[in-house]
């Protein structure tokens, strides 16, 4: 059986690309027209068009180049093309065909006979068209059509290529006739065209639905005793076009088709230059009633984007006719109108709109569309600019609905169509007119907006059929459509500006954003379309869109240098490049560019800054009796071994250097000051800066001696500082001391007359080898400047006393610390206010002030007895001993430092 089928395939006529397989079961068809089953009682194919009861005018034939009077018996053979959608069932047959192939291709008639295998054939002729319009039309050659078993089938039974606008197909028939359904669809398009896959048409429910574009072939056979059926008869030719008195057999008014199979011409590209001649085609059908302002505003967006460019605008409109007849306040203004200046662009806007009020620039439509009687005729709307003497770079069709009319007015006044339904015929004719416009080099842009139907997926097929991919806009809202259209129209003239910033600071180059903190500049650009010279803030490196090629832009910048970098000064700021070209133009006072080109124009701005760093060293001694100038203040370098640092600069109080390297680590030292002062030291690891003498407090200055308190770090706590770029730092060391007040208190408990003034007190450092000097004060029971001494904080001292009176009999008592209120009179009698220092050594913390007293007691005199007994000799000997002891005691009292030392805490 497979061999027999293969023989039949090979015997078929020219254009056959595959074997006739068993009838395909159609997939779920997108078309609302169901496919009839393969039997002798086929129901007529439902058309996705108005029912026969609707009044549909007879289809007027479309004039193409005259085809041959009779179709050739055997069209020229064509090379079969591989189908990307071949089914698995085709593979075996295709392999068999390849095996049976010979070096010599059999003649078309021989191949037909082999395929027929003794069967008869029916011939199908389809007229294929390209363009139409009042100027005539052209037939299209090279288009490939095929016969399919259903509208959703992907593999054709047989194919043909059009020649002189006619595509001839042979269908094998067993017997004299068949009612098996066969459909004609496009397979491939010639170069420069694309096939019509599906279209949106009105279904039986009055809604726009998607329908696969194709037609059942044959003739309808109707009789009073049975429903109409489709029939193919052996030996008969069926045509999509009328000949003589014979009307079309299919693709006729009954199918709501023009009888000519269309292909979509490729949309020419928009010109790459700035400036276009644009035809604006406005839909003024009744459905646009109430949307006049939106339609005018959308048109304004086109004019706005073209304003200032060497462009022209021509205005066309359509309804049932072109121009529309039931519209007041607007006419066709087909003559090209220039829009290169605002004044000329306003004249174009005035053709269809006017200012809505005197206080704003808002415009409103000045035309009114009739609320009845205007249909939608895409065909006439597109054919008007196609027939016009002018040529256009682009044509913009603004519509809110699918076509309901096509062609010129008939004898009865209206074009063909019923004004309520969209059929294949309306879209076919729109494709022909769009093709004619494209043939003039016009890029067609279809804009569907205003309602959900025209913005839907089904209507998309119709909009694409008259334009092409990338040239179709669908939006339910006119504002959104206007925005998208504006972006499309300005793409060739659109210009954007970006300004890149570079800093050169002390010879080092930085990109904007990487420069040292506190040095910055703000960019200002003139706004797109603003010729007043005013500028607005913009971001460095970012594109600002909205400019038009041919316009100019003004650049300005505002430099800012932080108060913490007072040593930085701007040397110059220049525009150093425009695009790839180098230039040198000062930015001081602003810069006005030359005319911008389409696309992105990048400017390069370079600012040169010179910075000087300063460092001042000061000493703050926390005692008014100290002289800060006694300290030597120094800054040392910090090499890899910080102990080997070299002096960078040094001096006394307030020494300053103006040549410190930015970021260099310096060890700070305060030396040669009074030994009773100690510098604050919060260093966690002094070995890192061994030449530093302690912690410093560094603050930024504004160059005038004040510290603004800005946030840049200053350092100093670890004994080092890094002076930031352009900074003026003031680093201060704080040194502190302590005060000890030494008092003398005597207790004459044995009737003595010892007084505090009979003594002097000494404070001697306890550290061995200390270079600190001892402190001596006069004996006194009351605090005074003479009894107060400065001592090194936290340093231990021992307190001793010395008698200033010879042979003074006393003994040294306790060393005590005063715990009362220091500012009040010292009360020596209240023992509760005095605390004995147990270890006899004092140590005062930094900034502290303590009061101590050293207590001394008198010694009771010796008394001789008044009665005798042993005689005078024992008394003389005892008295001599007592005198000797008293002399020794007196000697000890005269040298207390060697005889009685007391420690005090």
């Amino acid at each position: 059986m497979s061999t027999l089928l293969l023989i039949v395939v090979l015997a078929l006529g020219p254009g056959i690309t595959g074997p006739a397989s068993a009838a395909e079961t159609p997939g779920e068809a997108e078309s609302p027209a169901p496919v009839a089953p393969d039997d002798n009682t086929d129901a007529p194919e439902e058309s996705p068009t108005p029912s026969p009861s609707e009044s549909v005018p007879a289809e007027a034939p479309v004039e193409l180049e005259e085809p041959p009077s009779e179709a050739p018996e055997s069209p020229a053979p064509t090379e079969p093309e591989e189908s990307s959608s071949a089914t698995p069932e085709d593979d075996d047959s295709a392999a068999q065909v390849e095996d049976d192939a010979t070096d010599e291709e059999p003649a078309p008639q021989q191949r037909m006979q082999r395929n027929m295998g003794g069967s008869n054939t029916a011939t199908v002729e389809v007229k294929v068209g390209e363009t139409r319009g009042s100027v005539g039309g052209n037939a299209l050659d090279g288009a490939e059509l095929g016969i399919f078993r259903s509208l959703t089938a992907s593999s054709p039974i047989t194919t043909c290529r059009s020649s002189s606008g006619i595509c001839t197909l042979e269908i094998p028939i067993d017997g004299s006739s068949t009612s098996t359904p066969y459909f004609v669809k496009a397979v491939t398009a010639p170069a420069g065209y694309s096939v019509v896959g599906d279209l949106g048409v009105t279904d039986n429910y009055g809604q726009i639905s998607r329908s696969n574009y194709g037609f059942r072939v044959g003739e309808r056979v109707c009789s009073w005793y049975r429903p109409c059926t489709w029939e193919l008869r052996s030996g008969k030719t069926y045509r999509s076009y009328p000949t003589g008195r014979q009307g079309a057999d299919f693709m006729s008014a009954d199918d709501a088709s023009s009888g000519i199979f269309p292909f979509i011409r490729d949309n020419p590209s928009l010109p790459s230059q700035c400036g276009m001649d644009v035809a604006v085609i406005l839909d003024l059908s009744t459905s646009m009633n109430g949307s006049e302002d939106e339609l005018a505003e959308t048109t304004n967006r086109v004019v706005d984007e073209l304003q200032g460019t060497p462009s022209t605008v021509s205005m066309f409109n359509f309804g049932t006719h072109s121009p529309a007849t039931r519209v007041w306040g607007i006419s066709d203004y087909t003559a090209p109108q220039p829009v290169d200046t605002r004044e000329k662009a306003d004249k174009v806007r005035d053709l269809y709109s006017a200012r809505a009020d005197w206080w704003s620039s808002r415009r409103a439509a000045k035309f009114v569309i009739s609320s009845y009687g205007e249909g939608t005729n895409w065909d006439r709307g597109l054919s008007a600019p196609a027939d016009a003497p002018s040529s256009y770079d682009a044509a913009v069709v603004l519509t809110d609905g699918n076509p309901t009319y096509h062609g010129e007015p008939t004898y009865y006044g209206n074009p063909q169509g019923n004004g309520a339904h969209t059929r294949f015929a309306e879209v076919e004719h729109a494709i022909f007119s769009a093709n004619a416009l494209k043939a003039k080099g016009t890029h067609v842009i279809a804009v569907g907006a205003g309602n959900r139907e025209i913005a839907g997926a089904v209507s998309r097929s119709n909009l694409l059929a008259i334009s092409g991919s990338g040239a179709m806009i669908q939006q339910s809202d006119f504002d959104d459509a206007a925005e998208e259209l504006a972006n499309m129209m300005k793409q060739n003239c659109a210009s954007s500006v970006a300004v890149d910033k570079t800093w050169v600071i002390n010879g080092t180059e930085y990109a904007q954003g990487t420069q040292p903190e506190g040095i910055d500049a703000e960019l200002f650009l003139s706004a797109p379309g603003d010729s007043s010279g005013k500028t607005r803030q913009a971001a460095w490196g970012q594109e600002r869109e909205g400019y038009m090629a041919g316009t100019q832009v003004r650049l300005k910048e505002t430099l800012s240098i932080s108060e913490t970098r007072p040593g930085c000064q701007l040397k110059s700021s220049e525009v150093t490049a425009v695009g790839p070209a180098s230039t040198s133009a000062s930015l001081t006072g602003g810069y006005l560019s030359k005319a911008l080109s389409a696309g992105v124009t990048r400017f390069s701005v370079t600012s040169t800054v010179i910075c000087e760093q300063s460092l001042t060293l000061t000493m703050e001694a926390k005692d008014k009796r100290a002289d800060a100038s006694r300290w030597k203040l120094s800054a040392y370098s910090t090499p890899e071994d910080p102990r080997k640092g070299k002096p960078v600069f040094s001096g006394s109080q307030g020494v300053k250097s103006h040549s410190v390297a930015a970021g260099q680590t310096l060890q700070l030292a305060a030396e040669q000051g009074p030994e009773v002062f100690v510098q604050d030291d919060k260093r966690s690891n002094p070995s890192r800066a061994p030449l530093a003498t302690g912690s410093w407090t560094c603050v930024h200055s504004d160059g005038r001696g004040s510290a603004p308190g800005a946030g840049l770090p200053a350092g100093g706590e670890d004994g080092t500082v890094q002076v930031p770029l352009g900074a003026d730092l003031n680093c201060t060391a704080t040194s502190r001391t302590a005060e000890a007040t030494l008092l003398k208190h005597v207790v004459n408990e044995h009737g003595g007359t010892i007084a505090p003034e009979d003594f002097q007190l000494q404070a001697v450092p306890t550290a061995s080898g200390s270079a600190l000097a001892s402190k001596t004060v006069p004996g006194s029971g009351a605090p005074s400047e003479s009894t107060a001494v400065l001592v090194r904080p936290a340093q231990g001292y021992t307190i001793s006393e010395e008698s200033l009176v010879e042979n003074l009999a006393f003994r040294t008592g306790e060393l005590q610390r005063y715990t009362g209120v220091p500012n009040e009179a010292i009360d020596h009698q209240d023992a509760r206010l005095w605390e004995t220092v147990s270890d006899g050594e004092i140590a005062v913390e930094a900034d502290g002030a303590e009061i101590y007293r050293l207590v001394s007691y008198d010694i009771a005199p010796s008394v001789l007895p008044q009665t005798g007994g042993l005689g005078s000799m024992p008394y003389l000997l005892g008295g001599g001993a007592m005198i000797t002891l008293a002399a020794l005691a007196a000697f000890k009292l005269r040298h207390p430092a060697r005889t009685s030392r007391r420690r005090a805490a």
Side-chain angles (χ1 to χ4, degrees):
M1 182 65 183
S2 299
T3 303
L4 178 60
L5 288 175
L6 178 61
I7 293 174
V8 172
V9 169
L10 294 176
L12 288 177
I16 299 175
T17 61
S21 61
E24 297 183 53
T25 302
E28 183 177 351
E30 295 184 50
S31 170
V35 178
D38 187 7
D39 56 30
N40 294 328
T41 59
D42 288 347
E45 176 79 359
E46 287 189 81
S47 171
T49 60
S51 63
S53 62
E54 295 176 309
S55 176
V56 179
E59 184 71 34
V62 177
E63 293 298 329
L64 300 173
E65 288 185 353
E66 188 66 29
S69 58
E70 292 188 17
E73 294 182 7
S74 178
T78 59
E79 194 67 20
E81 294 187 8
E82 293 184 11
S83 173
S84 61
S85 58
T87 61
E89 290 82 357
D90 295 329
D91 294 340
D92 294 338
S93 299
Q96 185 67 39
V97 170
E98 184 175 353
D99 293 338
D100 294 343
T102 62
D103 294 338
E104 182 179 353
E105 177 73 8
Q109 187 62 33
Q110 293 174 341
R111 186 168 62 225
M112 175 67 72
Q113 291 174 354
R114 186 185 306 170
N115 287 336
M116 288 172 57
S119 299
N120 296 321
T121 61
T123 302
V124 173
E125 292 183 358
V126 184
K127 184 175 286 189
V128 181
E130 176 196 16
T131 62
R132 68 171 300 283
S134 61
V135 296
N138 296 312
L140 182 63
D141 292 343
E144 184 180 18
L145 302 182
I147 295 296
F148 296 80
R149 288 301 305 272
S150 73
L151 286 175
T152 58
S154 58
S155 299
I157 297 173
T158 183
T159 63
C160 67
R161 289 193 181 273
S162 61
S163 176
S164 299
I166 300 296
C167 200
T168 303
L169 296 146
E170 302 288 346
I171 303 176
I173 297 176
D174 292 329
S176 60
S177 67
T178 183
S179 59
T180 299
Y182 293 100
F183 298 85
V184 62
K185 293 196 306 178
V187 177
T188 61
Y193 293 83
S194 59
V195 301
V196 178
D198 56 67
L199 295 175
V201 295
T202 305
D203 59 23
N204 294 330
Y205 301 99
Q207 303 296 319
I208 292 292
S209 61
R210 180 182 287 111
S211 178
N212 289 318
Y213 187 73
F215 300 90
R216 185 164 181 174
V217 297
E219 64 178 332
R220 286 183 177 87
V221 178
C222 301
S223 64
W224 62 269
Y225 58 88
R226 70 172 185 174
C228 293
T229 61
W230 283 86
E231 187 176 78
L232 284 172
R233 291 184 175 276
S234 173
K236 185 172 181 178
T237 299
Y238 298 92
R239 297 180 175 88
S240 70
Y241 56 93
T243 56
R245 295 184 179 180
Q246 175 65 40
D249 298 298
F250 63 95
M251 289 184 69
S252 62
D254 290 334
D255 296 315
S257 172
S258 63
I260 304 174
F261 213 99
F263 284 78
I264 303 170
R265 190 181 186 101
D266 290 350
N267 211 5
S269 299
L270 282 170
S272 58
Q273 82 277 1
C274 177
M276 292 188 291
D277 297 318
V278 179
V280 178
I281 308 169
L282 302 180
D283 178 357
L284 303 184
S285 58
T286 291
S287 59
M288 295 290 278
N289 175 259
S291 299
E292 290 89 345
D293 287 348
E294 289 84 352
L295 186 59
E297 180 59 29
T298 304
T299 308
N300 280 338
R301 292 300 299 272
V302 177
V303 177
D304 292 346
E305 297 306 329
L306 297 176
Q307 179 180 307
T309 68
S311 301
T312 64
V313 174
S314 299
M315 302 295 299
F316 295 86
N317 69 73
F318 67 91
T320 302
H321 310 273
S322 180
T325 57
R326 295 179 178 271
V327 180
W328 297 272
I330 192 172
S331 300
D332 267 359
Y333 297 95
T334 59
Q337 307 290 323
V339 291
D340 54 328
T341 65
R342 179 184 292 274
E343 292 74 18
K344 292 178 182 178
D346 281 341
K347 288 182 179 180
V348 175
R349 297 184 186 98
D350 291 342
L351 298 177
Y352 54 85
S353 66
R355 286 184 178 274
D357 40 57
W358 61 268
W359 61 83
S360 72
S361 59
R362 187 176 68 87
R363 283 181 166 265
K366 66 178 186 180
F367 59 91
V368 178
I369 301 173
S370 173
S371 59
Y372 67 95
E374 281 291 356
T376 305
N377 193 335
W378 286 7
D379 170 32
R380 290 297 86 198
L382 288 160
S383 67
D387 298 341
S390 300
S391 295
Y392 308 99
D393 297 310
V396 181
V397 184
L398 298 176
T399 182
D400 76 332
N402 289 286
T404 57
Y405 284 111
H406 72 270
E408 296 285 1
T410 63
Y411 175 81
Y412 299 101
N414 280 335
Q416 299 176 68
N418 66 6
H421 296 142
T422 298
R423 308 171 303 160
F424 281 152
E426 278 70 56
V427 185
E428 290 169 350
H429 283 265
I431 293 172
F432 293 138
S433 292
N435 285 351
L437 191 53
K438 295 173 185 176
K440 296 176 64 174
T442 302
H443 181 82
V444 178
I445 302 171
V447 181
N451 60 63
R452 295 178 61 184
E453 177 186 291
I454 196 62
V458 176
S459 297
R460 178 182 180 85
S461 301
N462 295 348
L463 293 170
L464 284 172
I466 63 172
S467 58
S469 179
M472 185 274 299
I473 296 173
Q474 276 185 296
Q475 293 287 349
S476 58
D477 183 83
F478 272 103
D479 289 341
D480 294 336
E483 181 67 25
E484 192 171 346
L485 177 60
N487 293 333
M488 184 180 295
M489 295 303 297
K490 70 181 180 182
Q491 62 182 350
N492 288 331
C493 289
S495 180
S496 59
V497 170
V499 184
D500 299 318
K501 178 74 171 181
T502 300
W503 297 88
V504 179
I505 303 174
N506 284 2
T508 301
E509 189 171 295
Y510 302 90
Q512 172 64 26
T514 66
Q515 75 274 16
E517 185 180 354
I519 300 177
D520 207 351
E522 290 183 341
L523 172 66
F524 293 85
L525 297 175
S526 55
D530 187 350
S531 59
S532 65
K534 296 180 179 179
T535 57
R536 300 177 184 176
Q537 188 172 352
W540 296 105
Q542 294 185 9
E543 289 185 30
R544 172 175 278 189
E545 300 178 341
Y547 296 95
M548 299 293 291
T551 61
Q552 294 174 286
V553 62
R554 181 175 294 278
L555 283 66
K556 286 185 177 181
E557 73 169 357
T558 300
L559 185 72
S560 61
I561 297 179
S562 169
E563 288 182 325
T564 60
R565 300 191 190 275
C568 293
Q569 302 294 327
L570 177 67
K571 181 179 179 181
S572 65
S573 191
E574 296 180 330
V575 177
T576 53
V578 179
S582 298
T583 187
S584 179
S586 175
L587 195 57
T588 304
Y591 167 82
L592 183 62
S593 74
K594 296 180 180 179
L596 299 175
S597 302
V600 182
T601 300
R602 301 196 78 92
F603 296 88
S604 297
V605 172
T606 302
S607 294
T608 302
V609 177
I610 302 299
C611 295
E612 178 184 87
Q613 295 72 237
S614 300
L615 176 60
T616 302
L617 303 180
T618 59
M619 169 56 71
E620 181 182 12
K622 291 294 187 177
D623 191 279
K624 63 182 180 180
R625 292 163 286 186
D627 182 4
S629 64
R630 290 183 55 185
W631 276 269
K632 178 185 177 182
L633 308 176
S634 304
Y636 294 91
S637 63
T638 308
E640 185 175 353
D641 184 353
R643 297 171 298 177
K644 298 179 181 180
K646 302 296 184 182
V648 176
F649 71 95
S650 63
S652 60
Q653 177 74 346
V655 63
K656 185 171 187 176
S657 173
H658 294 279
S659 57
V660 179
Q664 179 185 10
T665 300
L666 299 175
Q667 302 178 75
L668 305 181
E671 304 163 305
Q672 303 177 7
E675 55 190 21
V676 294
F677 280 81
V678 176
Q679 183 179 344
D680 288 352
D681 194 352
K682 300 177 182 178
R683 294 176 293 168
S684 60
N685 188 356
S687 63
R688 293 181 178 178
L691 301 183
T693 55
S695 297
W696 294 67
T697 301
C698 299
V699 295
H700 287 274
S701 172
D702 61 1
R704 298 185 297 273
S706 60
L712 287 179
E717 185 171 297
D718 64 349
T720 67
V721 68
Q722 292 180 335
V723 183
L725 181 76
D728 184 356
L729 293 190
N730 191 332
C731 291
T732 301
T734 301
S735 289
R736 305 175 189 275
T737 187
E739 182 182 81
T741 300
L742 304 178
L743 303 180
K744 181 61 185 174
H745 179 58
V746 298
V747 179
N748 291 308
E749 57 184 0
H750 296 292
T753 59
I754 303 173
E757 291 77 15
D758 296 336
F759 301 88
Q760 64 179 11
L761 305 178
Q762 286 184 325
V764 180
T766 60
S768 61
S770 173
L772 290 172
S774 299
K775 304 291 183 178
T776 302
V777 299
S780 173
S784 66
E785 290 184 4
S786 61
T787 59
V789 295
L790 295 179
V791 295
R792 189 176 182 87
Q795 172 67 51
Y797 289 83
T798 59
I799 306 300
S800 64
E801 64 181 4
E802 181 181 2
S803 172
L804 301 179
V805 179
E806 292 185 6
N807 302 321
L808 186 65
F810 71 97
R811 67 179 179 86
T812 300
E814 303 86 2
L815 178 63
Q816 296 180 322
R817 184 175 67 87
Y818 185 61
T819 61
V821 179
N823 296 329
E824 296 181 358
I826 299 300
D827 185 355
H828 286 282
Q829 304 305 315
D830 190 348
R832 295 173 302 175
L833 299 179
W834 296 93
E835 177 183 78
T836 299
V837 179
S838 59
D839 59 359
E841 181 178 312
I842 69 169
V844 185
E845 296 299 324
D847 293 332
E850 299 287 354
I851 300 175
Y852 296 91
R853 72 179 182 181
L854 187 59
V855 182
S856 293
Y857 299 89
D858 66 342
I859 297 176
S862 298
V863 179
L864 295 176
Q866 300 298 316
T867 61
L870 295 178
S872 62
M873 184 54 69
Y875 293 100
L876 290 173
L877 290 175
M882 292 294 294
I883 293 172
T884 301
L885 292 174
L888 290 174
F891 178 80
K892 292 291 185 178
L893 290 173
R894 293 190 64 179
H895 300 280
R898 288 174 288 179
T899 58
S900 68
R901 294 180 179 270
R902 298 293 185 186
R903 294 180 177 270

